[in-house]
Amino acid sequence: MAILRTIVWFFYFFGALIVLTPKMNEAKRRKAAGDESGWGGGSPCRAIVDRYVPMWMSTLMRIAGCTVTVNGLENIPKDRAVVFTPNHQSDYDIPITLVHLDRPHALVAKVETLKIPLVRTWKLFDCVFIDRKNPRQAVTAMKEAGALLARGESVIVFPEGTRSKGDAMGEFKHGAFKMAFAAGAPVVPVVIDGSYK
């Protein structure tokens, strides 16, 4: 049963990306042409992200048999951009935060993510990719994330920098907090408990 579920999960993961890629390419063309109109007055890229990312990722979690309980959404400031700083236990932390933090937000992710087929299409989704082996690039990436904050986009940063794969939390790096301080943005701590299971 677990093997069948895993096969279905991967088929859906890549199948949904294939189906949605033309929409992202259309948004990319419109953005390059200076057309920022989209559903609800937002940009076409933002509209596609807000509409399809929660659906895609919540379905992936259902296929995997995940249940998520969320507490404290009422504590998220609604009137300004914030830096979300979740701990990082597993690969599921990304869909959990993108689906459950009231809407998908910009994300700081490791550059290795771009090696996953079709995922690079989603660079339009205000993702900032950080190369942990290149300190100069890492600083530049955090400045890019800071520019998103200044533009009014909340940003998700996993300060541990890698998955703990268990209950023990790793040491937090300083980048997320320096970025928040420079932008004058609140830091919203997020606790993820049990996703590694």
Side-chain angles (χ1 to χ4, degrees):
M1 186 65 178
I3 292 172
L4 180 61
R5 178 173 279 184
T6 302
I7 292 168
V8 171
W9 191 95
F10 277 103
F11 267 108
Y12 182 79
F13 180 92
F14 289 108
L17 281 179
I18 290 167
V19 169
L20 293 174
T21 292
K23 290 186 178 296
M24 290 303 287
N25 288 337
E26 176 197 348
K28 189 176 181 180
R29 285 192 298 273
R30 287 169 61 183
K31 187 173 184 178
D35 178 3
E36 288 295 317
S37 61
W39 302 300
S43 75
C45 300
R46 184 78 252 172
I48 287 171
V49 166
D50 287 347
R51 187 179 220 179
Y52 292 109
V53 166
M55 178 179 66
W56 174 49
M57 292 198 165
S58 59
T59 302
L60 285 171
M61 288 192 291
R62 278 198 304 276
I63 292 170
C66 299
T67 55
V68 179
T69 303
V70 181
N71 298 305
L73 285 177
E74 69 278 5
N75 298 317
I76 299 173
K78 301 287 188 249
D79 59 339
R80 60 193 302 195
V82 304
V83 178
F84 293 103
T85 55
N87 60 308
H88 199 6
Q89 293 186 338
S90 81
D91 289 330
Y92 279 95
D93 299 340
I94 293 170
I96 287 169
T97 53
L98 291 177
V99 170
H100 293 289
L101 286 178
D102 74 22
R103 61 169 275 190
H105 296 286
L107 182 73
V108 175
K110 59 186 180 182
V111 74
E112 290 84 356
T113 308
L114 292 174
K115 294 177 182 174
I116 302 172
L118 299 173
V119 168
R120 65 180 57 88
T121 306
W122 290 82
K123 279 186 77 172
L124 284 173
F125 164 32
D126 287 336
C127 281
V128 175
F129 294 94
I130 191 165
D131 185 350
R132 295 171 297 177
K133 297 172 188 170
N134 183 339
R136 185 172 292 177
Q137 187 279 341
V139 169
T140 301
M142 294 310 282
K143 285 181 180 174
E144 284 179 45
L148 291 174
L149 272 177
R151 203 172 76 198
E153 290 280 345
S154 293
V155 179
I156 301 167
V157 184
F158 295 98
E160 289 165 284
T162 190
R163 291 163 293 150
S164 64
K165 300 181 182 178
D167 288 321
M169 202 176 297
E171 183 179 345
F172 279 22
K173 310 292 189 293
H174 301 292
F177 306 100
K178 287 180 178 177
M179 177 180 66
F181 182 77
V187 172
V188 177
V190 178
V191 176
I192 298 174
D193 183 21
S195 65
Y196 68 92
K197 297 174 183 176

